[in-house]
């Protein structure tokens, strides 16, 4: 009997996220893996690396994209966790979600993900390019218990928070970098101890 080349015990292939932009399509797509049949997570480090490499090698003759589809937020655990935590700390979410429509949920989540704290993280690989992340567009928000999706100790299982949605980065021409963005970038580039403290001081 012929044995299969690889059994279930063989290690799974490493996830290979990449950016796809076809022809003159106005938008690009960040795909977590070359195989759509395999579930993959994209770390913040991988997100930055893949986008930085794409920006450096993309064909200059291709029109710059006006958006970058990320897919589902749960494929980016650091975004999903940020979203759940931000909603848990938002009085507007706690008191307004009960009667909110799906459209209101979409708008609320888009506003949370477009706040400067996360927006600067999303924009990091674009620094030095002609493009800038201007905001986040959202559809199909999913809710779950804060005790499962938020990182806050003692989070209630009764409080529902957003943890997943379809996401698009809204891109535009890069404006002049702010002093805060430059301070964070310099600290991370140097890799010096206390980089986070330097960025915090710049923020203050």
């Amino acid at each position: 009997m012929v044995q299969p080349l690889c059994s279930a015990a063989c290690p799974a292939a490493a996830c290979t996220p990449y950016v796809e932009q076809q022809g003159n399509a106005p938008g690009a797509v960040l795909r977590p893996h070359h195989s759509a049949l395999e579930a993959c997570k994209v770390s913040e480090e991988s997100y930055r690396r893949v986008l930085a490499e794409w920006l450096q090698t993309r064909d200059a003759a291709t029109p710059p994209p006006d958006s970058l589809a990320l897919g589902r937020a749960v494929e980016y655990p650091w975004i999903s966790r940020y979203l759940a935590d931000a909603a848990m700390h938002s009085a507007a979410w706690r008191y307004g979600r009960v009667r909110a429509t799906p459209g209101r949920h979409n708008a609320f989540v888009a506003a949370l993900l477009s706040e400067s704290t996360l927006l600067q993280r999303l924009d990091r690989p674009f620094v030095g390019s002609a493009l800038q992340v201007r905001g986040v567009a959202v559809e199909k928000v999913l809710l779950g218990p804060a005790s499962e999706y938020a990182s806050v100790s003692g989070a209630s299982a009764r409080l529902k928070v957003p943890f997943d949605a379809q996401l698009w980065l809204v891109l535009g021409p890069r404006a002049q970098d702010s002093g805060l963005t430059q301070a964070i970038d310099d600290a991370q580039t140097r890799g010096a101890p206390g980089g986070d403290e330097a960025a915090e001081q710049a923020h203050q």
Side-chain angles (χ1 to χ4, degrees):
M1 179 178 178
V2 178
Q3 297 294 326
L5 295 178
C6 188
S7 67
C10 295
C15 295
T16 53
Y18 68 100
V19 179
E20 177 182 85
Q21 184 180 12
Q22 297 183 349
N24 293 323
V29 182
L30 175 55
R31 301 196 183 280
H33 194 38
H34 283 281
S35 171
L37 301 179
E38 296 184 42
C40 282
K41 306 295 184 184
V42 180
S43 68
E44 187 168 1
E45 179 183 1
S46 293
Y47 166 86
R48 292 183 179 185
R49 174 182 54 78
V50 170
L51 285 182
E53 291 174 353
W54 169 66
L55 289 165
Q56 292 172 2
T57 60
R58 66 182 299 274
D59 187 353
T62 304
D66 58 13
S67 65
L68 177 70
L70 298 183
R72 297 182 60 183
V74 290
E75 294 172 336
Y76 305 80
W78 49 285
I79 297 180
S80 178
R81 182 57 57 90
Y82 175 92
L83 175 58
D85 288 350
M88 185 175 174
H89 286 99
S90 169
W93 174 259
R94 290 198 304 271
Y95 298 118
R97 68 171 179 81
V98 177
R99 296 184 179 86
T101 63
R104 291 283 298 277
H105 284 167
N106 291 345
F108 183 87
V109 168
L112 281 181
L113 296 181
S114 295
E115 291 178 351
S116 61
T117 301
L118 180 64
L119 212 58
Q120 288 175 2
R121 293 167 64 182
L122 294 171
D123 184 59
R124 182 60 48 215
F126 292 88
V127 173
S129 77
L131 293 172
Q132 183 173 16
V133 178
R134 298 296 184 85
V136 181
V138 171
E139 286 186 359
K140 300 178 181 177
V141 171
L142 297 180
L143 308 181
S147 58
E148 180 176 351
Y149 296 105
S151 61
V152 180
S153 177
S156 171
R158 298 181 61 185
L159 175 62
K160 302 300 181 183
V161 293
F163 70 94
D164 193 14
Q166 292 288 335
L167 306 180
W168 291 261
L169 301 185
V170 180
L171 305 178
R174 174 158 294 278
Q176 185 175 2
D177 289 333
S178 67
L180 172 59
T181 300
Q182 190 62 51
I184 296 174
D185 188 54
D186 290 346
Q188 291 180 341
T189 299
R190 290 194 306 269
D196 290 342
E197 288 81 355
E200 180 63 25
Q201 290 174 3
H203 179 66
Q204 296 173 349

